[in-house]
Amino acid sequence: MQTLTIHSARDLRIEEAEAGTPGDGQVRIAMAAGGICGSDLHYYNHGGFGTVRIREPMVLGHEVAGHVEAVGAGVTRVKTGDLVAINPSRPCGSCEYCDKGHFNHCLNMRFYGSAMPFPHIQGAFRQQLLVDETQCEKVGPGVSAGEAAMAEPFSVCLHGVRQAGLVDGARVLITGCGPIGALCILAARQAGAGEIVVCDLTDQALEFAARIGADKTVNVSAGPSTLAQFAADKGYFDICIEASGSEQALHSALTVVRPRGTIVQLGLGGDMSVPMNMVVAKEMNLVGSFRFHEEFARAVELISSDDVDVKPLISATLPLADAVEAFDLANDRSRAMKVQLSFQD
């Protein structure tokens, strides 16, 4: 089989590897679709992010789905031919955080396509993948492999919205409308948000936000003053999902979220300063959101239903042979929201 392996920044290679035979409780997946994530782009563009660097060749990818090709002994959840979304999160189940049910903070996490540990955790951009059957979530009829592969980023957003607390009836601000911000619109609406306002730097992103369910959009390219309409009486919004990773966006959110409101920092853009006087004076709840766990099954359930439509986010699907072109397209926000790879000829 073929894999998509990165050796250093801008050095993507299609390489050969053994597919393997499923053991007890394992499943071999004929991979069908995989979405290019922001972390994949960081590895491609810069060879890593922050202090995390590629130190050995690593297969990329973790937003994936495919068809069950073979099953090992004892497998009961899925059968040959099933289309499944693959949960890339593999906690150890025995560390102190797993014992507390905080699986996304596992001390021995094996998350596909991650250079955080060494040796690196190899990823899922490959034509066949051996997985534990517990990682497989069967999707509903009529759902495409591309839609199924959206379960992973949607899980991130479901977890982020869950971190916000009670969303039902709330006024929600979402800052940044890349793929994660866009999926947060769907997640917040599913959680019962009463009003969703989205801000971004480009009209194109905001037009997309309105198309998938934002009640109002604000172009903030002129600066934070564009949100001044929401700052009266100490703030308008109950919740902000900060999906851009921008320090300026976080500062703006603090001025327009009401006292005792909640800001969920979901976007990652490096360390940023926080005006703590405002946090204290307004008694703000500033919380982080990292990956997901139980939300993955819920994401697949929602995508398999008529309640959530992720199809509009899929801008293009390119074959594995055109991976470099796909990554370059994914880098261009003016042309693409979510770019996916197809792994079968």
Side-chain angles (χ1 to χ4, degrees):
M1 67 161 177
Q2 294 181 324
T3 69
L4 183 62
T5 303
I6 190 161
H7 288 248
S8 60
R10 297 279 171 171
D11 186 4
L12 278 179
R13 306 181 195 179
I14 295 176
E15 299 181 340
E16 299 291 327
E18 293 296 323
T21 301
D24 291 354
Q26 286 189 318
V27 177
R28 188 172 69 229
I29 306 296
M31 305 302 289
I36 298 172
C37 176
S39 61
D40 297 319
L41 290 174
H42 277 297
Y43 289 128
Y44 176 65
N45 293 324
H46 311 295
F49 49 90
T51 60
V52 177
R53 298 285 119 188
I54 296 170
R55 290 178 282 168
E56 64 176 347
M58 183 179 76
V59 179
L60 290 174
H62 55 266
E63 301 178 4
V64 292
H67 295 88
V68 176
E69 188 175 62
V71 300
V75 171
T76 59
R77 287 170 58 95
V78 295
K79 64 182 185 303
T80 302
D82 285 346
L83 174 62
V84 294
I86 305 300
N87 188 338
S89 182
R90 296 175 293 163
C92 70
S94 59
C95 71
E96 61 177 299
Y97 294 106
C98 288
D99 286 344
K100 294 176 181 176
H102 303 162
F103 296 102
N104 58 322
H105 294 289
C106 172
L107 294 174
N108 305 298
M109 177 63 74
R110 299 157 296 153
F111 196 93
Y112 286 141
S114 173
M116 294 178 71
F118 186 84
H120 300 334
I121 308 300
Q122 298 297 312
F125 282 175
R126 57 181 76 213
Q127 290 179 313
Q128 280 89 30
L129 178 68
L130 284 180
V131 304
D132 295 334
E133 69 165 329
T134 54
Q135 295 175 251
C136 298
E137 292 292 339
K138 184 177 177 180
V139 302
V143 177
S144 69
E147 292 170 82
M150 294 294 291
E152 194 277 343
F154 190 38
S155 300
V156 171
C157 300
L158 290 175
H159 184 70
V161 169
R162 183 180 179 186
Q163 289 290 87
L166 181 63
V167 179
D168 191 32
R171 297 168 173 172
V172 177
L173 173 67
I174 297 172
T175 54
C177 192
I180 292 298
L183 287 168
C184 281
I185 297 172
L186 304 184
R189 186 64 73 198
Q190 182 62 33
E195 181 181 7
I196 299 174
V197 177
V198 177
C199 64
D200 197 274
L201 297 170
T202 71
D203 288 337
Q204 184 177 11
L206 295 172
E207 289 166 5
F208 184 84
R211 195 159 67 246
I212 64 171
D215 297 300
K216 186 174 183 178
T217 62
V218 181
N219 189 316
V220 293
S221 59
S225 62
T226 51
L227 286 174
Q229 59 184 303
F230 300 109
D233 300 325
K234 295 190 177 183
Y236 178 81
F237 297 102
D238 303 298
I239 294 166
C240 172
I241 308 294
E242 204 303 282
S244 71
S246 162
E247 182 176 298
Q248 181 173 307
L250 175 60
H251 288 198
S252 297
L254 283 165
T255 68
V256 299
V257 173
R258 64 173 179 79
R260 300 191 180 183
T262 298
I263 298 175
V264 178
Q265 187 60 49
L266 186 57
L268 288 173
D271 289 337
M272 56 181 73
S273 66
V274 178
M276 291 306 300
N277 284 349
M278 190 179 299
V279 173
V280 171
K282 294 180 74 172
E283 298 184 316
M284 302 297 296
N285 300 300
L286 178 59
V287 300
S289 182
F290 182 66
R291 291 181 180 164
F292 55 86
H293 185 69
E294 59 269 28
E295 292 88 357
F296 191 84
R298 179 60 175 159
V300 174
E301 178 185 355
L302 288 170
I303 290 172
S304 297
S305 72
D306 294 329
D307 294 334
V308 169
D309 185 8
V310 297
K311 292 190 295 296
L313 280 84
I314 303 173
S315 305
T317 303
L318 282 72
L320 178 61
D322 296 335
V324 171
E325 180 183 347
F327 271 69
D328 289 339
L329 178 59
N331 265 325
D332 189 348
R333 281 196 65 197
S334 70
R335 294 194 295 151
M337 178 64 69
K338 174 63 69 175
V339 177
Q340 294 186 333
L341 292 170
S342 174
F343 297 99
Q344 303 300 324
D345 297 331

